[in-house]
Every structure is written in C-alpha cells, then in structure tokens.
C-alpha cells in the first residue's frame, strides 16, 4: 500500500505541474499575441533594432525599453518568428530558470 500511495502522489504532482506549466505558457503566449507583458518591450526593441532604428526610440506604444542593447541583439533573431513564438520561447526560458 505504501508504494501505491507514493506512486499516486508522484503522478498527481506531475499532472498538476504539467497543467500549471501549460497554463503559464498559454498565458504568456496569449499576452504576446495581444501585446501585454514586459517581454514585449524586449520584442519591440529588437524589432526596431532589426529595422535599423534606435531600440530606445519612443514610438508611442506602452513598451519602454530601458535595458542594455546587447539584450535586444540577443532576442533579435526571435523577431523573425513573430510575437506568439517569441512569447512561447520566453515562457520556456522562464520555466527553464
């Protein structure tokens, strides 16, 4: 009986963890598609950098980039995939930490 209880608890923990992880990825991906979240400041700055513009330029949107330009250079390749893929990548990176 003890082994079954431990196995059941382990399975329950794994299921809860996976559901919460999927919900987090879904939430960040949704926010990326609809333009919410701090990670969009990074995305917009990387887009501006890819277009040859100043990543710190005030563009009228609500995302203000206040970070080193090296970060915008690092996330610049992800701008090619679009905000939804960038948001999912961001969620994965946060989960990996």
């Amino acid at each position: 009986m003890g082994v079954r209880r431990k196995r059941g608890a382990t399975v329950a923990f794994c299921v809860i963890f996976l559901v919460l992880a999927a919900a987090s990825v879904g939430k960040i991906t949704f926010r990326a598609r609809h333009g919410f979240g701090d990670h969009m400041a990074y995305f917009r700055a990387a887009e501006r950098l890819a277009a040859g513009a100043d990543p710190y330029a005030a563009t009228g949107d609500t995302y203000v980039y206040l970070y080193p330009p090296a970060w915008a250079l690092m996330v610049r390749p992800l701008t090619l995939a679009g905000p939804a893929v960038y948001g999912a990548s961001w969620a994965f990176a946060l989960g990996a930490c």
Side-chain angles (χ1 to χ4, degrees):
M1 283 285 230
V3 172
R4 283 187 181 174
R5 229 181 253 176
K6 286 181 182 179
R7 185 176 296 154
T10 301
V11 168
F13 174 79
C14 289
V15 167
I16 290 170
F17 176 79
L18 290 174
V19 167
L20 291 175
S24 295
V25 169
K27 180 179 178 182
I28 290 177
T29 303
F30 172 83
R31 293 176 130 213
R33 273 191 230 131
H34 298 285
F36 301 109
D38 289 341
H39 63 284
M40 289 306 294
Y42 311 141
F43 182 80
R44 299 286 183 232
E47 277 185 325
R48 288 191 294 271
L49 194 63
D54 179 11
Y56 299 103
T59 59
D61 64 16
T62 58
Y63 307 109
V64 179
Y65 185 72
L66 304 172
Y67 310 97
W71 181 251
L73 284 171
M74 287 173 40
V75 299
R76 182 177 164 188
L78 292 172
T79 62
L80 300 173
V85 173
Y86 175 76
S89 301
W90 183 257
F92 178 77
L94 289 178
C97 291

